[in-house]
Amino acid sequence: IIIAALLMRWVTQPLHRLALASERFTLDGKPEQIDETGPLEVRRAARAFNTMLDRIQTLVAVRTQALAAVSHDLRTPITRIRLRTDAVDDDMRERIESDLGEMESMISATLDFLRAGETKESFRQIDLASIIETIVDDYADQGRVIERSGETSATMQGRPLALKRAFNNIIQNAIKYADRASISI
């Protein structure tokens, strides 16, 4: 019985270390490699785990570099457009500036999410009807007709940029695939 217990511990201890390393894994820091010890199959599992950690680390590094490039590439034309708004009337300039500011906020929020895996945009009290009204007005400026009915105010807790992006995508798809949109709040 003692020999069986020792053998069982010899087999299960590396599996226990593998399970702990899997549970502790995060993208925040350098992943902890585990010892490749124990029976053959356990050593193979540990080696596969360590290889997976290396691949994930490489993927995260490449993604971070790509995000930095995308961030720069997206912000450059926004800055050029902002500089060119001097040639338009004040009302149009304000609307363009507002759209550009919103685009920059969306880019920042998306990049923050991709970097950290979560958004930094906090939940706050918002008026969903106002967000949707803004989207409807933007499409009206483009000559699109969107039917809107229902409540004129709908307050809730939410992330305004994320909700605006989501509803804009839904409305955009409705227009793209059905040539119209009808919204009821």
Side-chain angles (χ1 to χ4, degrees), residues 159-177:
R159 293 185 175 114
L161 285 174
L163 285 168
K164 185 168 185 179
R165 187 170 44 244
F167 281 108
N168 190 52
N169 287 340
I170 292 168
I171 294 168
Q172 184 179 33
N173 285 338
I175 291 171
K176 182 177 180 180
Y177 295 109

Side-chain angles (χ1 to χ4, degrees), residues 41-139:
E41 292 303 317
V42 174
R43 288 193 311 256
R44 287 181 62 199
R47 191 172 314 116
F49 180 81
N50 289 336
T51 301
M52 179 188 68
L53 289 179
D54 290 339
R55 288 180 184 159
I56 290 171
Q57 216 173 356
T58 301
L59 177 67
V60 168
V62 168
R63 185 178 79 167
T64 301
Q65 288 176 336
L67 288 173
V70 166
S71 174
H72 179 267
D73 291 348
L74 290 174
R75 287 191 169 107
T76 300
I78 290 173
T79 302
R80 283 196 311 258
I81 293 169
R82 187 167 269 132
L83 292 172
R84 292 177 183 154
T85 60
D86 291 335
V88 297
D89 64 73
D90 289 339
D91 182 49
M92 182 60 76
R93 182 178 20 256
E94 284 178 26
R95 290 175 24 199
I96 291 171
E97 286 288 334
S98 174
D99 287 345
L100 291 173
E102 188 176 319
M103 286 173 62
E104 285 181 320
S105 295
M106 286 180 179
I107 290 168
S108 294
T110 301
L111 293 173
D112 287 345
F113 175 78
L114 292 173
R115 275 188 207 107
E118 61 184 56
T119 183
K120 291 182 182 173
E121 185 181 17
S122 61
F123 273 85
R124 62 183 175 94
Q125 190 74 17
I126 59 171
D127 185 356
L128 186 60
S130 295
I131 290 174
I132 291 176
E133 189 66 35
T134 302
I135 297 168
V136 169
D137 289 346
D138 289 344
Y139 280 106

